[in-house]
Amino acid sequence: MKKKEVISYDGGSMGPSDSVQLLDNCEALILNGGAQYKIKIEERKILTFWKNIEILGVWNWRKKYPYVKPKYEPMLDGYSWELKLRDRNGRAKYCTGYESFPRNFKKLIYELDDLFDSKIEF
């Protein structure tokens, strides 16, 4: 049985956050720079996204970044982010971060921008 896919990212600092979320029926909700809109996504783009997530090693990322307590208290106006993924087989990943990012994070943002035709700023 096919599981409900989840592709959700939210990130930002002081201003409005950037958010992308896959909805039902290949639709997506995008919040970008204070604007909100919906788009349709082609099935092939979603399948390509999952293939690239595998290549980037996202399934092996830690739950929280930084994963060790920083030596100094972090600034309160830094960039925080949250990623939620669940593929069609039910494999899931939930990660958050504050001013710390896993390897290939920029490539993940590129893949999200490509999938959602968005421009996530971080």
Side-chain angles (χ1 to χ4, degrees):
M1 185 175 141
K2 188 172 140 179
K3 298 276 188 179
K4 179 177 175 7
E5 283 178 291
V6 175
I7 303 172
S8 175
Y9 176 83
D10 187 59
S13 58
M14 306 241 332
S17 66
D18 289 325
S19 177
V20 291
Q21 179 181 0
L22 184 65
L23 305 172
D24 294 328
N25 301 321
C26 293
E27 284 191 324
L29 177 65
I30 291 112
L31 302 165
N32 199 252
Q36 176 178 326
Y37 55 96
K38 284 185 180 179
I39 63 166
K40 277 290 236 190
I41 299 177
E42 295 176 30
E43 177 80 6
R44 70 170 180 77
K45 284 183 81 173
I46 296 171
L47 294 173
T48 299
F49 174 82
W50 288 124
K51 184 180 75 171
N52 291 337
I53 288 302
E54 188 75 40
I55 292 167
L56 293 176
V58 173
W59 301 115
N60 299 322
W61 288 1
R62 297 178 186 268
K63 283 187 174 185
K64 189 169 182 164
Y65 291 86
Y67 53 90
V68 294
K69 187 157 176 61
K71 187 174 180 180
Y72 302 103
E73 278 298 310
M75 305 173 298
L76 297 176
D77 60 351
Y79 188 86
S80 62
W81 58 274
E82 175 184 71
L83 175 68
K84 297 178 193 170
L85 298 174
R86 185 170 58 232
D87 69 11
R88 295 171 184 192
N89 300 319
R91 185 163 51 165
K93 176 55 74 178
Y94 175 76
C95 315
T96 62
Y98 181 77
E99 282 298 308
S100 183
F101 310 95
R103 180 179 289 131
N104 289 331
F105 186 79
K106 284 184 180 180
K107 291 179 182 176
L108 167 74
I109 297 300
Y110 172 82
E111 293 300 331
L112 289 167
D113 282 342
D114 188 50
L115 178 64
F116 292 104
D117 289 327
S118 58
K119 184 68 182 129
I120 297 169
E121 301 286 337
F122 81 100

